[in-house]
């Protein structure tokens, strides 16, 4: 029998890492203490307006802009991604041109154009071209600034969502689709049961980032102009009080509150769609070591590493008997 000989391992020390951590904590504490006593921040005004009715209503409007715009952007992005993957060159070219235009121009410029839509098109006509329209109505009456802001944000975001969805679909191995076809699945059934569930692992993280980015991009809808979002409303209040810094802090607190909720939701969605990935999951605990590698053990006050006991398998053959 071979005796196990524990090898004592000495834990590495990182003194400079501890010093750097102490410096960071001290710097953060000094900043908080300084900000608490600095009169420019005007914390009583922050407490007064953080739950003001105008601010809370603007926060709800900002959340609505984000949700409605992202729903439209995701649906349109999926359609554009499928068009980009289409073998039809015309369909693929149309999708590429859309992405080229909306990704190549700033979103603020696009929102300004949407705000001037009633000047470019005074009326919206529905009917057969070059004939008397069936329905005709004024653009100002049909589309208010809130609707125009949603359209502008959604069309811009759809260009980015199309590339995210396309990358997710292309990440699935081609053999998965071929195997589903061999089992008799149609295209829609293959996408719903095979391709999309596997691609969601790639699509969810950047989509969550885009939702958070959309929440902050709503501060640009003043270009439409829509003036009832969170940032514009806080700016209008600061113009009345001649005290802009507290109102900026109020708007930032609401943005941080919404983004924190979105980050938590993104985390749980990533965990759900990462099931079955195994060791590639960043939050999955390592399982017990297997194989013939060294097995770490803790004995006494220091960790030790126990070398594996060599095992030899006797050759089997017709002339050798097993243990009796």
């Amino acid at each position: 029998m071979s005796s196990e000989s524990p090898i004592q391992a000495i834990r590495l020390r990182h003194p400079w890492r501890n010093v750097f951590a102490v410096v960071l904590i001290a710097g953060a504490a000094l900043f908080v203490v300084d900000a608490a006593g600095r009169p420019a921040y005007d914390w009583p005004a922050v407490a007064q307006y953080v739950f003001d009715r105008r601010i809370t209503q603007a926060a709800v409007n900002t959340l609505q802009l984000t949700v409605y715009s992202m729903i439209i952007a995701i649906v349109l992005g999926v359609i554009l991604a499928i068009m980009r993957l289409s073998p039809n060159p015309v369909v693929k070219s149309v999708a590429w041109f859309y992405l080229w235009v909306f990704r190549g121009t700033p979103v603020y410029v696009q929102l300004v154009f949407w705000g001037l839509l009633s000047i470019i098109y005074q009326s919206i006509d529905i009917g057969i071209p070059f004939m008397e329209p069936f329905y005709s109505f004024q653009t100002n009456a049909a589309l208010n600034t809130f609707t125009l802001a949603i359209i502008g944000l959604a069309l811009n975001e759809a260009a980015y969502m199309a590339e995210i969805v396309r990358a997710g679909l292309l990440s699935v191995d081609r053999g998965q689709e071929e195997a589903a076809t061999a089992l008799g699945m149609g295209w829609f059934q293959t996408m719903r049961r095979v391709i999309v569930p596997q691609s969601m692992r790639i699509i969810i993280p950047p989509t969550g980032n885009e939702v958070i980015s959309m929440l902050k991009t709503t501060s640009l809808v003043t270009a439409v102009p829509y003036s009832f979002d969170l940032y514009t409303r806080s700016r209008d209040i600061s113009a009345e009080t001649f005290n802009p810094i507290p109102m900026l802090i109020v708007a930032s607190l609401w943005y941080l509150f919404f983004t924190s909720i979105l980050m938590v939701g993104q985390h749980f969605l990533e965990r759900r769609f990462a099931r079955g990935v195994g060791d590639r999951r960043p939050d999955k605990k390592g399982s017990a070591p297997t194989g013939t590698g060294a097995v770490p053990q803790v004995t006494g006050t220091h960790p030790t590493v126990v070398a594996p006991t060599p095992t030899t398998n006797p050759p089997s053959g017709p002339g050798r008997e097993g243990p009796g």
Side-chain angles (χ1 to χ4, degrees):
M1 296 179 61
S2 60
S3 59
E4 297 180 351
S5 56
I7 303 174
Q8 183 175 357
I10 301 176
R11 190 183 301 275
L12 293 178
R13 301 183 183 277
H14 303 278
W16 289 109
R17 182 186 300 175
N18 298 331
V19 171
F20 185 66
V22 171
V23 170
L24 287 179
I25 295 174
L30 288 175
F31 176 79
V32 171
V33 171
D34 177 77
R38 193 167 292 274
Y41 289 115
D42 198 354
W43 295 109
V46 173
Q48 177 184 354
Y49 285 101
V50 69
F51 293 114
D52 186 87
R53 183 180 59 84
R54 294 168 292 179
I55 293 296
T56 55
Q57 184 60 46
V60 173
N61 294 338
T62 296
L63 198 59
Q64 289 178 339
L65 286 171
T66 303
V67 173
Y68 297 157
S69 300
M70 283 306 303
I71 290 176
I72 298 174
I74 291 173
V75 173
L76 186 56
V78 171
I79 296 174
L80 289 169
I82 296 175
M83 292 173 64
R84 283 293 308 275
L85 298 175
S86 172
N88 190 319
V90 176
V91 174
K92 183 183 297 185
S93 299
V94 170
W96 179 88
F97 181 79
Y98 180 97
L99 268 62
W100 176 65
V101 171
F102 282 91
R103 293 175 65 191
T105 54
V107 61
Y108 190 87
V109 175
Q110 297 174 27
L111 291 173
V112 172
F113 266 104
W114 284 105
L116 299 174
L117 183 66
S118 60
I119 299 177
I120 303 173
Y121 302 99
Q122 289 81 12
S123 62
I124 299 177
D125 302 329
I126 301 176
I128 301 175
F130 309 108
M131 295 184 65
E132 189 69 21
F134 301 145
Y135 300 100
S136 180
F137 40 84
Q138 296 297 318
T139 304
N140 284 333
L143 301 173
N144 55 27
T145 54
F146 182 78
T147 305
L148 290 174
I150 292 175
I151 294 174
L153 293 173
L155 294 181
N156 176 266
E157 183 61 33
Y160 297 93
M161 285 303 306
E163 291 297 279
I164 292 174
V165 174
R166 186 173 72 93
L169 296 178
L170 290 177
S171 67
V172 181
D173 189 81
R174 180 71 177 179
Q176 299 287 328
E177 184 177 355
E178 295 175 353
T181 304
L183 292 174
M185 293 186 181
W187 180 86
F188 182 78
Q189 195 175 18
T190 301
M191 293 293 293
R192 184 172 63 89
R193 294 190 175 184
V194 179
I195 304 298
V196 172
Q198 297 184 62
S199 63
M200 291 300 288
R201 180 171 52 89
I202 306 298
I203 294 175
I204 288 296
T207 301
N209 295 336
E210 290 298 317
V211 174
I212 294 174
S213 178
M214 174 63 74
L215 176 69
K216 295 178 290 185
T217 307
T218 56
S219 61
L220 301 178
V221 295
T222 182
V224 172
Y226 179 75
S227 58
F228 294 98
D229 65 291
L230 180 58
Y231 169 71
T232 307
R233 202 64 176 138
S234 63
R235 188 188 61 183
D236 294 342
I237 296 175
S238 66
E240 298 174 0
T241 60
F242 300 101
N243 195 10
I245 296 178
M247 299 312 303
L248 289 175
I249 296 176
V250 168
S252 300
L253 290 175
W254 278 100
Y255 282 123
L256 286 172
F257 173 71
F258 287 141
T259 53
S260 300
I261 295 176
L262 293 174
M263 290 173 65
V264 172
Q266 177 184 353
H267 170 72
F268 284 105
L269 279 177
E270 290 182 11
R271 286 185 57 183
R272 175 176 176 81
F273 286 101
R275 292 178 302 177
V277 178
D279 295 337
R280 284 187 289 178
R281 280 180 53 182
D283 59 337
K284 188 176 180 62
K285 301 295 184 181
S287 57
T290 58
T292 58
V295 180
Q297 294 184 359
V298 178
T299 57
T301 58
H302 297 284
T304 60
V305 177
V306 179
T309 304
T311 58
T312 58
N313 296 325
S316 61
R320 184 177 181 89
E321 297 180 356

